[in-house]
Amino acid sequence: YHALQEAHEPLAVASDSTSGKADTATGANHAELLASCDTGITMYRRDAYGVFRISWCNPAAALLEERPGDSMDGLSAAQTAPPCDGFDLAEALQRVHESGISETREVMLLARDEFARWRRYHLHLLGDDEVMAEVTDISEQVGARLARRTQEEMAQYIARSFPLTCLLLDEQG
């Protein structure tokens, strides 16, 4: 469950009502909320050829794709998403579109940077031909998980190597 789903669902409900003025105001408020969000939000719409192209994205999404200030409207997923280990955004968009089932994946970007970069993609079907992608940089969280795992493995190694040694841990492990 994501807070953005809650914020976005009333937009879909409001578009079905009969009051045009309320719909416009509600839609504008939701658009402002999504535009100011720190999470990258990208709306993909399927074109006549079956390719998912960006119909809207917030500034955080453009920043994640290293295109701040550039218009990404009309670009396909293949043109904007960096290569990832075992994950193809265009294929994931297609799966979500066909099944209607939301998908969340944590993927490692295949870049030759000093540090490994990780992203979490949450894809959600909005309408017949539209899929929303929430994208978050989770590099710090994954790095912390890996560091903790390494510390735990080191502690286990020490305990196995020196069975008669009493191992004392501080409050933080």
Side-chain angles (χ1 to χ4, degrees):
Y1 177 79
H2 291 283
L4 290 174
Q5 286 177 329
E6 183 177 289
H8 193 71
E9 286 174 3
L11 179 60
V13 173
S15 65
D16 293 336
S17 71
T18 57
S19 170
K21 289 183 181 180
D23 292 345
T24 305
T26 303
N29 290 341
H30 288 288
E32 289 175 20
L33 174 68
L34 293 174
S36 66
C37 185
D38 290 336
T39 300
I41 306 290
T42 305
M43 305 294 187
Y44 291 92
R45 184 172 297 281
R46 190 171 180 195
D47 68 10
Y49 300 103
V51 176
F52 282 92
R53 299 193 177 277
I54 296 174
S55 59
W56 180 87
C57 71
N58 68 353
L63 189 62
L64 275 172
E65 300 303 335
E66 298 178 359
R67 295 172 181 256
D70 293 347
S71 174
M72 294 188 358
D73 292 351
L75 297 178
S76 69
Q79 292 173 305
T80 59
C84 299
D85 185 27
F87 177 74
D88 183 336
L89 179 58
E91 290 176 7
L93 290 167
Q94 188 65 33
R95 273 193 311 273
V96 170
H97 177 262
E98 290 173 359
S99 70
I101 299 171
S102 296
E103 187 172 312
T104 301
R105 296 279 301 266
E106 291 184 358
V107 298
M108 182 175 69
L109 305 184
L110 298 177
R112 298 185 186 267
D113 293 342
E114 185 176 338
F115 300 103
R117 305 300 302 169
W118 289 80
R119 288 190 183 163
R120 177 181 295 123
Y121 285 89
H122 177 73
L123 307 175
H124 180 74
L125 184 65
L126 292 180
D128 291 338
D129 288 327
E130 193 167 38
V131 177
M132 178 179 74
E134 296 175 49
V135 185
T136 308
D137 186 331
I138 58 168
S139 301
E140 289 181 19
Q141 293 94 329
V142 171
R145 270 190 259 157
L146 293 174
R148 182 175 176 177
R149 184 178 305 149
T150 301
Q151 289 175 347
E152 288 172 355
E153 289 173 0
M154 182 62 75
Q156 289 175 4
Y157 171 76
I158 291 170
R160 282 191 306 265
S161 298
F162 307 105
L164 299 177
T165 303
C166 179
L167 186 61
L168 298 176
L169 300 176
D170 65 5
E171 293 173 350
Q172 296 169 331

